[in-house]
Amino acid sequence: NAGVTQNPKFQVLKTGQSMTLQCAQDMNHNSMYWYRQDPGMGLRLIYYSASEGTTDKGEVPNGYNVSRLNKREFSLRLESAAPSQTSVYFCASRSWIGSMETQYFGPGTRLLVL
Amino acid sequence: DAKTTQPTSMDCAEGRAANLPCNHSTISGNEYVYWYRQIHSQGPQYIIHGLKNNETNEMASLIITEDRKSSTLILPHATLRDTAVYYCIVRALNNAGNMLTFGGGTRLMVKP
């Protein structure tokens, strides 16, 4: 199993450009998440998808859209990038068996908006 | 979810036990204590979780006080690769947000 994969690993954008961050998991998990992490800070939830076909806003959804394409894939789109969106973006999926709840994180996408 | 308080940073000698404390004095009866860590430039990694009993797995031990207001994560023989930020998270299963709330965590530096 590859776990959670993210593409691209690095990206530089100019203000106003758009891009889509890709995330896929091969663990058959229902729930998937997008977080951002700014330097020296904890993670903040942008959007999540509790199951295929549903998405919900997290703490910091402004400036982002998401698509749960199928059970495996959950993409994050920046329609008009701003310097404030410079961050590391992590995708995660959630495993839940009894009381055992675990989130598995991808390696991250490092985004710089100039 | 209950708020947690952790020291900002700690040092530990390689090969010694690392004991990372966490206060969660407002924890509710249905809330679990989770520990994750984040090694530099990587995504967070699950370590262990518990409700009220002490727990042990291949990575660490979790000691929860009887009143559940605090806990300690123990890495029994710390190695240089254990240098990371350790997050203590308290949350209920089935919470509506379905999210993990990461605070500042404890930056553990394991030194040779």
Side-chain angles (χ1 to χ4, degrees), chain A residues 33 37 96 101 103 110, chain B residues 34 36 38 41 91 94 98:
Chain A
Y33 307 82
Q37 185 172 35
W96 187 6
E101 182 192 356
Q103 288 199 12
R110 283 148 185 80
Chain B
Y34 284 81
Y36 280 73
Q38 188 172 22
S41 298
R91 65 184 303 238
N94 288 329
N98 277 329

Side-chain angles (χ1 to χ4, degrees), chain A residues 8-57:
Chain A
K9 289 185 170 48
F10 303 95
Q11 185 71 49
V12 179
L13 292 177
K14 294 181 180 178
T15 297
Q17 286 185 315
S18 62
M19 79 162 294
T20 299
L21 283 67
Q22 309 286 353
C23 174
Q25 53 93 7
D26 61 1
M27 296 174 282
N28 203 36
H29 293 161
N30 286 320
S31 300
M32 297 183 72
Y33 307 82
W34 276 106
Y35 293 87
R36 61 176 286 175
Q37 185 172 35
D38 299 324
M41 307 278 288
L43 279 73
R44 291 184 293 170
L45 184 67
I46 305 171
Y47 269 93
Y48 69 97
S49 170
S51 61
E52 185 180 353
T54 69
T55 61
D56 284 285
K57 296 178 180 180

